[in-house]
C-alpha cells in the first residue's frame, strides 16, 4: 500500500509507516540516486526551485543534475563513509547555481539519498560540541547531569523549552528535567502514556538519533514518484528531511508548538529517553549546529550510562553496609523477630518504598503505608504459593489478588523477601498507587488548541489517559531493587540460620551449615565453570582427532574435580604427595618404575588447582609418549624440596629406554604446563627435552606452600593399581539411573552404551524412580544422591528392600549426605569418569553374582 493511501487515525497510529511517508519537510530538498550514484531515481518536488535544474530530473545522470565536480565530491564522501548508514555531512558546499548548501548523503537499501538544505550558519560544530561537553563533564550524579543538560541545551540552541524525557519500564514517559521560558507552564514531573510515542517511532529514534521538525504547520513536499517501478516507496529512516506523522504534528500544534528537535539518549543499546526541544515559532536548526547537538547527545548518553552504573554500585554498597550493621546487631540479639521490628527504618532506607512489614510466626508488624491487618494472611498465603522461597515482587498487586484493589491507594505494589527456607515468613516492602501522588502541575486555566482528532492530542489529556492506564499500579521494582532484596535475603537467611543453631541440636546445626555453604559454593562453582570454559575453548592440536580432544578434555576436567574435592577435604588446600599419587595411580603398572621423593608439603587452594592441571598434563603425556608408557626400563622420578626462600622446587624427570621424539610444535597441553605456574602463581616453569627423556622443573612461591615440620621426607615406590572387578560386555545388564540434570544423564548413558549397556531407565526424581520400579526390575542402580530439593535416599531404601545393589554419585567431597545405613554402598565422584564408572559397575555385578 502506498504511503499516501494509508489513512491514519488514533486507532492505528501504532502501525503508521512513518519511515516511508512519501514526503519531506519544506526547508530542504532531496534527490535519490541509484547505489553507485549514476542516475536520479526520485526527487522532491521542490528540487527545481532550490537547486535550479530545469526539466525532469528523474532518469538523468548525477553529473547532469549536480555537475561533475559536486558529483565527484559526493562520491568521495560516500567512499569515506563506507557501509555506514549514518549520513555523511558536508556543510557549506557550493552548487552549480552558485548557492551554498549543507548536504547530507547516505546509502540505504541500494539507494543513495542526497539531502540539500540552504546554509544558515557559520558555526563550527566541533567547537560548539566541545564547549557543551565541557559544561557537563564534571557532573558527578545522574540528577546533576540531567538538570545541567536541560539548561545547557536551552542556552546553546535557543529553544523555548528543553525537556529530558525518560522512558519507564512500561513504555510510558516522564519529564525528569526541564528548562523553559518563564511564561510557559511546566511539564516537569508529568507522565505520558506509551502510545504518545509508538513503537515504530522509538525504533527510528534508535536508528536516527537526531530529529528536527522545522514547522509543524508547514506544507509537506512530495517525493516523486511515490512508488518506484517495483511498487516500493522510498525508505527515509535515516533522512533528516523525512516528513513527520500528521498525528504528531497535530499534537505539537495543539500544544502551540511550531518547531521541535529531539536527541536520542541511548544507554546499553536501548532507548533510555529523549532530549526534547520545543519552540513556539518555526525554527530550522542548521547542519553545523545539528552536528554539535548529535555529538553532545552521544557524550551525554555515555556519561549518563557511567553515572547510572556508579549510582547503582553506590546504592548496592550502601545497602550492603546497612546489612552488615544489621548482622553485627543480630550476633548479640536472641529475639530475631524483635530485632527485625526494631530495624524497620533501616530496612525502609534500603530502597524507595512507602511501607515495610514483617510476617513471622503468623504475627504481623507494619511500619508506614501497609495493607490492612486482616488482608495480610491472604497476602502471605499467596506469596508462599508463588515465590518458591525466592525474592518475589509485583507492581500491580490487584492483578494477582483481586481484593487488593480495595487498598491499592496505600499498597498497590509489594516486594517480598523470604526469611526462611522452611517457614512462610517474609519481610515485605510496599509502594502506594503511583497516581495517588501525582497531579497535573501546569496551569489549570491553560487552554490548548484542539485539532480534527480531538483533545486526546493534548498534554493534559495524555496525562489523564496515562493515569487511567496505570490505575491500581505502583512504581515498578527495578533491577537494582531486586539485587538489594537478594542481598538482604542472604543476610536475613544467615541470621535465621544462626538463630536456629542456638536453638537446634547437632543434626539441625549440620543442616544449617550445609545451606549456608550453598551461597559460597555458588561463587566457587562459577569460578570452576570459567576455568572449564577456558579449557573447552582451546582448539584441538593440529592432527588430533575429535575423540582425542574429547579424551584430553575429560581428563583435564577430572583433574579439576579431584583438586576441588581435595580443597574441600583439606579446608582450602591439599597435599602435594596425595595429588601426585592421584594423578599417577591410573598409569602405573608392574612395568613402570616410579619414585616420589620429598617432604610433606601442603599447597593452598589456588596452587592445588593449578598443579592438578599441570601434573595431569605431565602424567597424560608420560603415559602416551614417555616414562609411563608400557615399555621396559622406563623410569619416572619426581622430587621436591623447599629452598632457602621456602619456595617449593619440584623436578619431574623421565628416563626412557629409547630416544624421546621432540615435538615439532607446542600444543595447548605444553602451553598449560609452561605458562600456568608463572601466570597464575607467579612462579617458574621450564621444560627440557633430553635425548633419553623429559625433564621439567617447577618453582612454586613460598606464599602458596607450607611444610608439616612433624613429617620427615618420604619415598614412595611401587604399583598402586590394584586389580579391580570390571564389567564384562557379555553380561546383559539392566540399569536404573537417577539423575536430575539432563545433560549429565545423557553423558552417563553415552558412557554406558560405549561399554555395551543399552538397557537403561532414567529418572529425574525419587518419586519417578520409585514409580518406574513398579514395572522395571534393574540389575543395579546408579543414584545421584542430591536431586536439587530432593534426594535419592527413598530410592536406595526401596532398592535395598528388593536386594538390588546400587552405588551413589555425588559432587560432595566426603559423601556427607550418605546416611549411616548405606555406608557400605560404593560412591563415585562427579563429574563422572568412564573408567571409575565401569569399575563401580564391576563391583556391583560382583555383588549380584555372589547373591
Amino acid at each position: 500500500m502506498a504511503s499516501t493511501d494509508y489513512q491514519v487515525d488514533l486507532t492505528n497510529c501504532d502501525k503508521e509507516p512513518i519511515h516511508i511517508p512519501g514526503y519531506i519537510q519544506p526547508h530542504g530538498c532531496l534527490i535519490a540516486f541509484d547505489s553507485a550514484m549514476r542516475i536520479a531515481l526520485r526527487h522532491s518536488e521542490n528540487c527545481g526551485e532550490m537547486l535550479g535544474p530545469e526539466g525532469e530530473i528523474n532518469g538523468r545522470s548525477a553529473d547532469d543534475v549536480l555537475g561533475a565536480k559536486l558529483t565527484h565530491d559526493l562520491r568521495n564522501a560516500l567512499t569515506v563513509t563506507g557501509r555506514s548508514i549514518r549520513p555523511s555531512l558536508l556543510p557549506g558546499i557550493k552548487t552549480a547555481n552558485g548557492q551554498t548548501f549543507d548536504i547530507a548523503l547516505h546509502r540505504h537499501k541500494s539507494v543513495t539519498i542526497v539531502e540539500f538544505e540552504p546554509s544558515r550558519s557559520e558555526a563550527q560544530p566541533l567547537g560548539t560540541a566541545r564547549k557543551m561537553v565541557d559544561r557537563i563533564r564534571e557532573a558527578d550524579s545522574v540528577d546533576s547531569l540531567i538538570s545541567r543538560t536541560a539548561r545547557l541545551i536551552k542556552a546553546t540552541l535557543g529553544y523555548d523549552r528543553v525537556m529530558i524525557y525518560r522512558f519507564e519500564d512500561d513504555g510510558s514517559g516522564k519529564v525528569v528535567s526541564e528548562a523553559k521560558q518563564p511564561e510557559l507552564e511546566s511539564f516537569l514531573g508529568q507522565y505520558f502514556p506509551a502510545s504518545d510515542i509508538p513503537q515504530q517511532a522509538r525504533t527510528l529514534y534508535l536508528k536516527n538519533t537526531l530529529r528536527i521538525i522545522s514547522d509543524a504547520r508547514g506544507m509537506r513536499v512530495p517525493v516523486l514518484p511515490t512508488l518506484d517501478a517495483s511498487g516500493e516507496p522510498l525508505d527515509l529512516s535515516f533522512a533528516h528531511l523525512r516528513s513527520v506523522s500528521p498525528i504528531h504534528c497535530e499534537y505539537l500544534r495543539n500544544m502551540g508548538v511550531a518547531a521541535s528537535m529531539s536527541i536520542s539518549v541511548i544507554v546499553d543499546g536501548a532507548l533510555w529517553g529523549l532530549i526534547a526541544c520545543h519552540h513556539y515559532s518555526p525554527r530550522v536548526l542548521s547542519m553545523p549546529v545539528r552536528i554539535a547537538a548529535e555529538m553532545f547527545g552521544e557524550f551525554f548518553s555515555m556519561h549518563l550510562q557511567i553515572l547510572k552504573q556508579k549510582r547503582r554500585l553506590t546504592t548496592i554498597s550502601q545497602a550492603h553496609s546497612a546489612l552488615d550493621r544489621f548482622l553485627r546487631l543480630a550476633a548479640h540479639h536472641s529475639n530475631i523477630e524483635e530485632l527485625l521490628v526494631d530495624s524497620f527504618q533501616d530496612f525502609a532506607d534500603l530502597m524507595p518504598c512507602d511501607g515495610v512489614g514483617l510476617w513471622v510466626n503468623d504475627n504481623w508488624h507494619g511500619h508506614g503505608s501497609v495493607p490492612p491487618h486482616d488482608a495480610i494472611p491472604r497476602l502471605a498465603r499467596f506469596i508462599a504459593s508463588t515465590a518458591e522461597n525466592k525474592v518475589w515482587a509485583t507492581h500491580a498487586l490487584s492483578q494477582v489478588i483481586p481484593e487488593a484493589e480495595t487498598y491499592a491507594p496505600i499498597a498497590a505494589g509489594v516486594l517480598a523477601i523470604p526469611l526462611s527456607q522452611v517457614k512462610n515468613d517474609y519481610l515485605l516492602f510496599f509502594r502506594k498507587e503511583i497516581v495517588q501522588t501525582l497531579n497535573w502541575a501546569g496551569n489549570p486555566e491553560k487552554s490548548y488548541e484542539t485539532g480534527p482528532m480531538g483533545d486526546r492530542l493534548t498534554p493534559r489529556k495524555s496525562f489523564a489517559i496515562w493515569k487511567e492506564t496505570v490505575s491500581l499500579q505502583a512504581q515498578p521494582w527495578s533491577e537494582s531493587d531486586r539485587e538489594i532484596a537478594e542481598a538482604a535475603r542472604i543476610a536475613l537467611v544467615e541470621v535465621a540460620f544462626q538463630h536456629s543453631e542456638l536453638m537446634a541440636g547437632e543434626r539441625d546445626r549440620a543442616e544449617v551449615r550445609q545451606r549456608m555453604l550453598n551461597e559460597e559454593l555458588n561463587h566457587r562453582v562459577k569460578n570452576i565453570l570459567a576455568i572449564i570454559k577456558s579449557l573447552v575453548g582451546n582448539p584441538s592440536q593440529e592432527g588430533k582427532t575429535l575423540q582425542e580432544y574429547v579424551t584430553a578434555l575429560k581428563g583435564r576436567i577430572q583433574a579439576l574435580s579431584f583438586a576441588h574435592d581435595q580443597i574441600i577435604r583439606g579446608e582450602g588446600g591439599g597435599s602435594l604427595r596425595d595429588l601426585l599419587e592421584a594423578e599417577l595411580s591410573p598409569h602405573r603398572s608392574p612395568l613402570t618404575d616410579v619414585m616420589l621423593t620429598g617432604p610433606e608439603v601442603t599447597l593452598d587452594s589456588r596452587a592445588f588447582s593449578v598443579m592438578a592441571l599441570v601434573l595431569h598434563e605431565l602424567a597424560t603425556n608420560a603415559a602416551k609418549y614417555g616414562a609411563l608408557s608400557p615399555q621396559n626400563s622406563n623410569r619416572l622420578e619426581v622430587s621436591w624440596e623447599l629452598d632457602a626462600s621456602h619456595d617449593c622446587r619440584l623436578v619431574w624427570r623421565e628416563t626412557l629406554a629409547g630416544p624421546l621424539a621432540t615435538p615439532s610444535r607446542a600444543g595447548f597441553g605444553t602451553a598449560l604446563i609452561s605458562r600456568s605456574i608463572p601466570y597464575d602463581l607467579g612462579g617458574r616453569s621450564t621444560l627440557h627435552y633430553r635425548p633419553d627423556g623429559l625433564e621439567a622443573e617447577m618453582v612454586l612461591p613460598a606464599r602458596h606452600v607450607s611444610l608439616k615440620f612433624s613429617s620427615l621426607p618420604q619415598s614412595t615406590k611401587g604399583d598402586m593399581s590394584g586389580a579391580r572387578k570390571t564389567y564384562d560386555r557379555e553380561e546383559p545388564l539392566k540399569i536404573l539411573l537417577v539423575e536430575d540434570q539432563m545433560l549429565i544423564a545423557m553423558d552417563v548413558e553415552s558412557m554406558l552404551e560405549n561399554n555395551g549397556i543399552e538397557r537403561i531407565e532414567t529418572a529425574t526424581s525419587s518419586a519417578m524412580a520409585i514409580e518406574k520400579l513398579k514395572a522395571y526390575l534393574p540389575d543395579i542402580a546408579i543414584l545421584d544422591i542430591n536431586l536439587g530439593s530432593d534426594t535419592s535416599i527413598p530410592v536406595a531404601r526401596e532398592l535395598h528392600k528388593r536386594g538390588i545393589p546400587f552405588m551413589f554419585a555425588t559432587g560432595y567431597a566426603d559423601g556427607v549426605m550418605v546416611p549411616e545405613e548405606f555406608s557400605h554402598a560404593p560412591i563415585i565422584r562427579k563429574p563422572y569418569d568412564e573408567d571409575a564408572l565401569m569399575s563401580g559397575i564391576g563391583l556391583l555385578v560382583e555383588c549380584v553374582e555372589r547373591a
Side-chain angles (χ1 to χ4, degrees):
M1 177 181 293
S3 57
T4 52
D5 296 331
Y6 194 93
Q7 298 302 315
V8 180
D9 57 38
L10 291 177
T11 66
N12 65 359
C13 63
D14 60 330
K15 297 181 177 63
E16 181 185 1
I18 59 177
H19 62 300
I20 49 172
Y23 295 87
I24 65 169
Q25 298 184 59
H27 62 274
C29 64
L30 174 150
I31 303 178
F33 295 93
D34 60 1
S35 179
M37 205 176 159
R38 292 187 297 264
I39 304 298
L41 305 176
R42 310 186 206 216
H43 67 282
S44 62
E45 194 176 51
N46 61 348
C47 277
E49 177 186 343
M50 280 198 170
L51 299 178
E54 298 179 357
E56 178 59 40
I57 293 177
N58 293 342
R60 292 166 60 181
S61 69
D63 289 351
D64 186 23
V65 175
L66 301 178
K69 182 180 184 308
L70 178 56
T71 300
H72 175 76
D73 292 343
L74 295 181
R75 284 178 177 152
N76 284 343
L78 278 176
T79 302
V80 172
T81 304
R83 296 186 177 182
S84 172
I85 54 178
R86 175 175 289 191
S88 178
L89 304 177
L90 304 173
I93 302 296
K94 282 194 175 183
T95 60
N97 64 1
Q99 291 183 306
T100 303
F101 288 88
D102 296 332
I103 301 176
L105 70 160
H106 69 280
R107 284 195 183 103
H108 184 47
K109 294 186 176 181
S110 302
V111 176
T112 299
I113 298 175
V114 186
E115 302 172 77
F116 301 85
E117 300 174 53
S119 291
R120 294 177 171 86
S121 171
E122 298 297 329
Q124 295 299 317
L126 291 179
T128 303
R130 183 176 180 180
K131 291 177 183 177
M132 295 173 72
V133 166
D134 285 343
R135 294 293 182 89
I136 65 167
R137 189 187 302 276
E138 301 304 320
D140 57 359
S141 70
V142 171
D143 293 339
S144 172
L145 174 66
I146 290 173
S147 176
R148 290 187 190 185
T149 297
R151 297 195 302 269
L152 175 63
I153 292 286
K154 183 180 182 302
T156 304
L157 303 187
Y159 281 90
D160 292 330
R161 184 199 304 271
V162 176
M163 298 171 289
I164 310 293
Y165 187 87
R166 183 190 68 209
F167 291 118
E168 302 292 321
D169 294 337
D170 62 356
S172 62
K174 181 184 181 182
V175 179
V176 295
S177 180
E178 180 183 55
K180 64 180 184 65
Q181 294 293 87
E183 67 273 12
L184 298 175
E185 66 176 331
S186 175
F187 295 159
L188 182 62
Q190 299 311 305
Y191 285 83
F192 300 91
S195 58
D196 274 18
I197 303 180
Q199 186 56 49
Q200 76 272 31
R202 296 170 194 246
T203 301
L204 282 182
Y205 280 127
L206 273 173
K207 292 180 179 180
N208 201 341
T209 58
L210 189 138
R211 186 79 177 104
I212 62 168
I213 299 173
S214 59
D215 188 352
R217 293 176 172 81
M219 297 295 294
R220 301 193 298 170
V221 179
V223 175
L224 306 175
T226 302
L227 304 178
D228 63 13
S230 62
E232 292 294 323
L234 182 63
D235 191 328
L236 297 177
S237 295
F238 300 95
H240 288 291
L241 293 174
R242 173 171 51 84
S243 184
V244 187
S245 163
I247 290 184
H248 184 60
C249 283
E250 180 170 330
Y251 190 43
L252 294 177
R253 291 195 299 269
N254 289 352
M255 297 172 68
V257 174
S260 74
M261 188 271 287
S262 64
I263 304 171
S264 302
V265 180
I266 299 172
V267 174
D268 289 328
L271 188 63
W272 178 89
L274 300 170
I275 301 175
C277 305
H278 287 175
H279 206 65
Y280 290 82
S281 60
R283 191 164 194 272
V284 177
L285 199 66
S286 68
M287 179 179 287
V289 179
R290 287 207 310 266
I291 294 173
E294 189 172 13
M295 294 172 64
F296 172 81
E298 292 183 356
F299 178 84
F300 174 84
S301 294
M302 290 187 293
H303 198 26
L304 175 64
Q305 181 169 335
I306 292 170
L307 292 177
K308 278 170 59 67
Q309 182 68 8
K310 176 185 174 183
R311 183 172 68 180
R312 175 174 168 272
L313 293 175
T314 300
T315 300
I316 292 175
S317 176
Q318 290 172 346
H320 278 285
S321 298
L323 291 172
D324 287 342
R325 291 194 298 271
F326 174 78
L327 288 173
R328 287 194 293 271
L329 286 174
H332 308 287
H333 218 292
S334 59
N335 189 322
I336 300 302
E337 182 174 344
E338 180 181 305
L339 173 62
L340 290 169
V341 173
D342 291 343
S343 304
F344 267 164
Q345 188 55 54
D346 291 333
F347 287 125
D349 293 338
L350 288 179
M351 67 184 78
C353 65
D354 299 303
V356 181
L358 177 68
W359 176 257
V360 60
N361 297 324
D362 294 332
N363 294 322
W364 170 246
H365 308 272
H367 170 75
S369 183
V370 298
H373 190 282
D374 57 0
I376 298 302
R378 167 77 173 95
L379 176 61
R381 288 195 301 272
F382 175 81
I383 294 174
S385 66
T386 306
E388 298 180 345
N389 288 322
K390 299 177 182 178
V391 172
W392 180 84
T394 177
H395 68 286
L397 187 57
S398 62
Q399 292 182 7
V400 292
I401 303 179
E403 54 266 36
E405 183 174 340
T406 60
Y407 54 83
I410 57 174
V414 62
L415 182 146
I417 300 176
L419 303 179
S420 169
Q421 300 292 318
V422 294
K423 295 191 301 181
N424 296 327
D425 295 341
Y426 299 97
L427 179 65
L428 304 171
F429 294 80
F430 296 96
R431 285 179 178 171
K432 296 179 180 179
E433 184 182 24
I434 189 171
V435 298
Q436 294 299 313
T437 58
L438 292 170
N439 285 299
W440 183 258
N443 178 6
E445 304 301 324
K446 167 73 174 179
S447 61
Y448 292 99
E449 177 182 340
T450 301
M453 295 184 187
D455 67 351
R456 160 66 181 86
L457 297 177
T458 61
R460 188 173 286 119
K461 186 65 175 179
S462 284
F463 177 70
I465 290 174
W466 171 82
K467 288 182 69 172
E468 181 179 345
T469 302
V470 300
S471 176
L472 306 178
Q473 296 182 26
Q475 183 71 29
W477 304 95
S478 68
E479 189 63 31
S480 178
D481 295 333
R482 294 172 187 268
E483 289 181 10
I484 292 171
E486 178 61 22
R489 184 194 69 80
I490 294 172
L492 293 170
V493 169
E494 182 176 341
V495 170
F497 285 164
Q498 291 174 349
H499 182 65
S500 297
E501 283 188 313
L502 296 174
M503 305 299 294
E506 188 62 35
R507 181 176 178 180
D508 290 338
R509 287 199 297 272
E511 292 176 354
V512 166
R513 292 190 186 102
Q514 184 60 48
R515 287 172 182 166
M516 292 177 64
L517 181 61
N518 287 341
E519 300 293 342
E520 174 64 20
L521 285 179
N522 180 50
H523 174 71
R524 292 194 181 191
V525 168
K526 285 181 179 178
N527 286 340
I528 292 171
L529 289 175
I531 296 173
I532 293 175
K533 178 181 177 183
S534 175
L535 295 177
V536 174
N538 279 276
S540 175
Q541 186 175 350
E542 184 177 352
K544 299 295 184 181
T545 66
L546 178 61
Q547 183 58 45
E548 289 173 324
Y549 168 75
V550 171
T551 300
L553 179 60
K554 285 184 176 180
R556 289 164 183 158
I557 293 176
Q558 199 66 34
L560 273 178
S561 172
F562 171 78
H564 182 68
D565 185 47
Q566 293 302 308
I567 289 169
I568 297 299
R569 290 171 183 267
E571 297 183 353
S575 164
L576 174 60
R577 181 182 298 278
D578 290 347
L579 179 59
L580 280 162
E581 295 285 9
E583 293 297 341
L584 294 175
S585 60
H587 307 295
R588 282 182 165 175
S589 72
L591 299 178
T592 59
D593 185 8
V594 178
M595 179 73 72
L596 306 181
T597 306
E600 285 298 322
V601 169
T602 299
L603 308 181
D604 67 10
S605 60
R606 186 178 182 86
F608 200 91
S609 295
V610 171
M611 289 303 293
L613 285 173
V614 170
L615 294 176
H616 172 78
E617 293 299 324
L618 287 168
T620 302
N621 291 338
K624 290 180 179 179
Y625 317 111
L628 297 179
S629 60
Q631 299 179 19
N632 290 321
S633 303
N634 287 347
R635 179 181 178 84
L636 171 64
E637 296 178 78
V638 184
S639 61
W640 62 95
E641 62 181 1
L642 298 187
D643 61 18
S645 301
H646 298 289
D647 295 340
C648 180
R649 177 177 175 272
L650 183 146
V651 178
W652 173 290
R653 183 178 292 109
E654 300 179 32
T655 304
L656 308 182
L660 172 67
T662 303
S664 58
R665 61 188 298 272
F668 173 66
T670 303
L672 190 150
I673 295 169
S674 60
R675 297 178 62 183
S676 291
I677 294 175
Y679 185 84
D680 289 324
L681 304 179
R684 300 192 302 278
S685 181
T686 57
L687 287 175
H688 301 289
Y689 291 93
R690 299 181 290 107
D692 61 341
L694 171 73
E695 181 173 305
E697 180 177 331
M698 291 154 274
V699 177
L700 309 181
R703 64 181 178 275
H704 295 295
V705 300
S706 59
L707 179 66
K708 295 182 179 179
F709 292 100
S710 59
S711 302
L712 297 175
Q714 299 179 13
S715 267
T716 303
K717 178 179 179 181
D719 181 14
M720 295 182 62
S721 58
R724 293 186 291 183
K725 175 70 177 180
T726 58
Y727 167 66
D728 185 348
R729 283 179 176 268
E730 298 302 320
E731 300 168 358
L733 277 184
K734 294 188 294 183
I735 291 183
L736 172 65
L737 171 63
V738 181
E739 170 61 63
D740 65 326
Q741 297 292 324
M742 180 191 70
L743 293 178
I744 296 177
M746 291 172 63
D747 191 33
V748 175
E749 289 173 358
S750 177
M751 293 179 189
L752 296 174
E753 289 169 357
N754 289 342
N755 288 271
I757 300 174
E758 299 179 351
R759 302 170 69 183
I760 308 163
E761 282 287 332
T762 302
T764 60
S765 66
S766 60
M768 182 186 294
I770 291 172
E771 184 64 26
K772 283 181 178 288
L773 286 173
K774 294 179 181 178
Y776 179 74
L777 187 64
D779 296 311
I780 61 175
I782 305 168
L783 311 179
D784 180 8
I785 193 168
N786 186 0
L787 303 172
S789 59
D790 188 13
T791 74
S792 60
I793 299 303
V795 187
R797 293 193 177 106
E798 183 66 24
L799 293 168
H800 182 68
K801 284 194 298 186
R802 299 182 182 214
I804 299 172
F806 56 86
M807 62 178 165
F808 287 117
T810 178
Y812 291 93
D814 294 308
V816 292
M817 296 188 68
V818 178
E820 183 65 29
E821 61 185 297
F822 297 127
S823 58
H824 63 281
I827 297 176
I828 182 172
R829 304 292 175 199
K830 296 174 69 176
Y832 291 91
D833 174 75
E834 187 168 340
D835 292 337
L837 177 65
M838 299 315 299
S839 295
I841 290 176
L843 289 175
L844 296 182
V845 169
E846 194 174 53
C847 293
V848 174
E849 291 174 347
R850 285 201 302 267

